[in-house]
Amino acid sequence: MNREIYTPPQGPPREIPGLSTLFLEVGEASFRALAENFYKEIAKSSIRDLFPADFTKPAEHQADFLIQVTGGPAYYAEKRGPARMRARHFQWEITEEARQVWLGCYSIALEKSLLNETQKKILWQFLEQFSLWMVNQKSSP
């Protein structure tokens, strides 16, 4: 990698009330379905080329991560070690524009989910903060 990595000024995601107990309310199957629906949207998106051809592993990893951050089993850490998501994604140029597309895909996936409105709001707050932290490339002026 031969580029300067941008660091967003707001820093990493802050604690979100209700996030750490969301898994107890929602359960594993809901997060697995959410990740699958998210990748169905990614497949149709303008950021499709940032992802591998086969979504099987990324969907599993993403569900594992969401399960872990919402208070469920630490599947992600058990399988892949410490999350360090920002560093893991440095190999891809993630701009604010790409973030907006990513969030749009999640918005559709959340609407298709069985989560209630309060649960969606909690998870959306996390996704917004998390995605801000993942931006590693300043957008072109």
Side-chain angles (χ1 to χ4, degrees):
M1 179 175 19
N2 204 10
R3 65 182 171 89
E4 184 177 331
I5 300 294
Y6 167 74
T7 300
Q10 76 284 344
R14 298 173 306 281
E15 186 173 328
I16 296 167
L19 184 68
S20 65
T21 57
L22 195 57
F23 177 82
L24 296 174
E25 299 173 29
V26 175
E28 185 170 331
S30 293
F31 286 110
R32 300 239 176 253
L34 179 63
E36 286 180 27
N37 284 330
F38 167 76
Y39 276 100
K40 286 178 184 174
E41 297 305 317
I42 285 293
K44 302 180 278 187
S45 78
S46 61
I47 61 171
R48 168 67 184 94
D49 61 338
L50 293 176
F51 297 85
D54 182 1
F55 291 142
T56 306
K57 282 293 184 190
E60 177 187 336
H61 297 324
Q62 191 153 124
D64 287 348
F65 176 72
L66 289 174
I67 288 166
Q68 184 171 311
V69 299
T70 58
Y75 296 140
Y76 191 91
E78 290 169 6
K79 294 175 187 175
R80 300 188 46 107
R84 298 183 355 247
M85 291 306 208
R86 184 166 158 74
R88 287 180 188 268
H89 288 78
F90 281 164
Q91 63 186 307
W92 297 285
E93 291 185 15
I94 302 173
T95 62
E96 177 59 26
E97 291 81 7
R99 173 184 172 265
Q100 291 300 323
V101 173
W102 187 90
L103 281 171
C105 292
Y106 249 118
S107 177
I108 294 168
L110 272 173
E111 285 308 309
K112 293 178 180 178
S113 77
L114 298 177
L115 280 68
N116 67 36
E117 290 308 310
T118 300
Q119 294 162 341
K120 287 177 185 178
K121 184 178 175 184
I122 291 167
L123 191 55
W124 183 254
Q125 193 176 1
F126 170 75
L127 293 169
E128 282 191 310
Q129 287 187 27
F130 174 78
S131 64
L132 274 169
W133 182 235
M134 297 301 290
V135 173
N136 62 31
Q137 184 69 43
K138 280 191 175 183
S139 301
S140 301

